[in-house]
Amino acid sequence: AQKVTQAQTEISVVEKEDVTLDCVYETRDTTYYLFWYKQPPSGELVFLIRRNSFDEQNEISGRYSWNFQKSTSSFNFTITASQVVDSAVYFCALRPPTMNRDDKIIFGKGTRLHILP
Amino acid sequence: KAGVTQTPRYLIKTRGQQVTLSCSPISGHRSVSWYQQTPGQGLQFLFEYFSETQRNKGNFPGRFSGRQFSNSRSEMNVSTLELGDSALYLCASSLAAVGISYEQYFGPGTRLTVT
């Protein structure tokens, strides 16, 4: 069975601190996609990154970086020099690449991040 | 380019009634997916449509149904509403249902309250 675990329910850090959001997944598929989404208070999910299971290169986008470790089934997300605008709920998700009728995207429960001024 | 729009934004219904929610994807996007978000269950996939065909379905009862029109607009319907159907219903669109371009763009959601 597929599963995504975000063990951190809620995190609070002071502005300018670095923060890492953990994501651990379970799947029997050899190929799959991993995602991170941000949900600000407005409610709209914002796509942050998509990672193919064959690509284990870490990625950096400005203050955001992602560490994909296939050996530990983890896809962690780090925000460097956090800002108040980063306050949101962050979701990690897993999806198989096929379109079989039983395949679907699975979301973690989310991590609520508070950046304190 | 206009984003994903969902109507209505807020809705209050009574148990036993039915409701229809609408989603207009980004122009040119052919895939529309629906999700239910509740505090208890989190974000759960409902169904996905591509070129008017349901390609994928989540683990929801038959009271939840949907369709997609030739212009890619989609509707979802919930019949015989239950209190537990109170949720934020999110719609997302993407260019394609499979392949490299699976970046989904989400709408603001419809907040459904069942009393």
Side-chain angles (χ1 to χ4, degrees), chain B residues 3 12 15 18 25-26 31-32 35-37 41 44 48 58 67 72 78 83 87 93 98 105 113 115:
Chain B
I12 300 176
R15 241 181 333 177
Q18 75 163 20
I26 291 172
S31 173
V32 172
Y35 300 87
Q36 182 197 65
Q37 186 176 22
Q41 298 299 317
Q44 293 184 286
E48 178 177 19
R67 58 179 176 168
S72 293
V78 187
L83 294 178
S93 77
V98 292
Y105 295 85
T113 302
T115 62

Side-chain angles (χ1 to χ4, degrees), chain B residues 8-9 15 21 25-27 39 52 58 67 71 77 99 102 108 110 113:
Chain B
R9 293 291 312 278
R15 241 181 333 177
L21 311 182
I26 291 172
S27 177
E52 301 179 67
R67 58 179 176 168
N71 61 358
N77 184 278
Y102 197 74
T110 294
T113 302

Side-chain angles (χ1 to χ4, degrees), chain B residues 20 34 37 42 44-45 49 63 65 78 86 93 103 111:
Chain B
T20 299
W34 289 89
Q37 186 176 22
Q44 293 184 286
F45 169 77
Y49 287 88
R63 301 185 297 106
S65 63
V78 187
S86 295
S93 77
E103 183 171 327
R111 172 77 62 186

Side-chain angles (χ1 to χ4, degrees), chain B residues 61-103:
Chain B
R63 301 185 297 106
F64 291 81
S65 63
R67 58 179 176 168
Q68 186 180 34
F69 302 95
S70 58
N71 61 358
S72 293
R73 189 177 71 86
S74 177
E75 288 181 348
M76 67 162 280
N77 184 278
V78 187
S79 62
T80 320
L81 284 165
E82 300 177 0
L83 294 178
D85 297 333
S86 295
L88 179 67
Y89 290 88
L90 292 162
C91 166
S93 77
S94 65
L95 273 172
V98 292
I100 297 173
S101 182
Y102 197 74
E103 183 171 327

Side-chain angles (χ1 to χ4, degrees), chain A:
Chain A
Q2 295 188 317
K3 189 178 178 182
V4 175
T5 302
Q6 293 180 256
Q8 304 149 309
T9 307
E10 202 157 345
I11 301 175
S12 293
V13 300
V14 177
E15 198 173 16
K16 297 183 184 174
E17 285 186 355
D18 299 346
V19 58
T20 295
L21 309 183
D22 298 332
C23 173
V24 174
Y25 62 93
E26 293 176 30
T27 180
R28 284 180 287 188
D29 293 318
T30 53
T31 61
Y32 46 88
Y33 286 108
L34 292 164
F35 303 82
W36 274 96
Y37 289 90
K38 173 183 180 180
Q39 187 175 38
S42 60
E44 200 165 320
L45 264 77
V46 177
F47 168 86
L48 294 177
I49 189 171
R50 176 190 61 245
R51 176 48 50 89
N52 184 305
S53 57
F54 288 119
D55 182 4
E56 288 195 66
Q57 269 193 319
N58 291 331
E59 183 153 341
I60 297 175
S61 176
R63 296 184 297 106
Y64 295 171
S65 62
W66 290 268
N67 185 344
F68 177 33
Q69 299 273 350
K70 208 167 178 178
S71 59
T72 56
S73 297
S74 66
F75 187 42
N76 297 337
F77 171 35
T78 297
I79 301 175
T80 303
S82 60
Q83 299 176 3
V84 173
V85 293
D86 296 326
S87 297
V89 181
Y90 291 85
F91 292 94
C92 179
L94 165 71
R95 184 194 162 113
T98 66
M99 283 302 292
N100 293 335
R101 291 194 68 82
D102 292 332
D103 294 330
K104 55 184 179 292
I105 188 167
I106 303 291
F107 285 87
K109 293 289 188 185
T111 297
R112 185 175 296 277
L113 177 62
H114 300 278
I115 308 298
L116 308 172

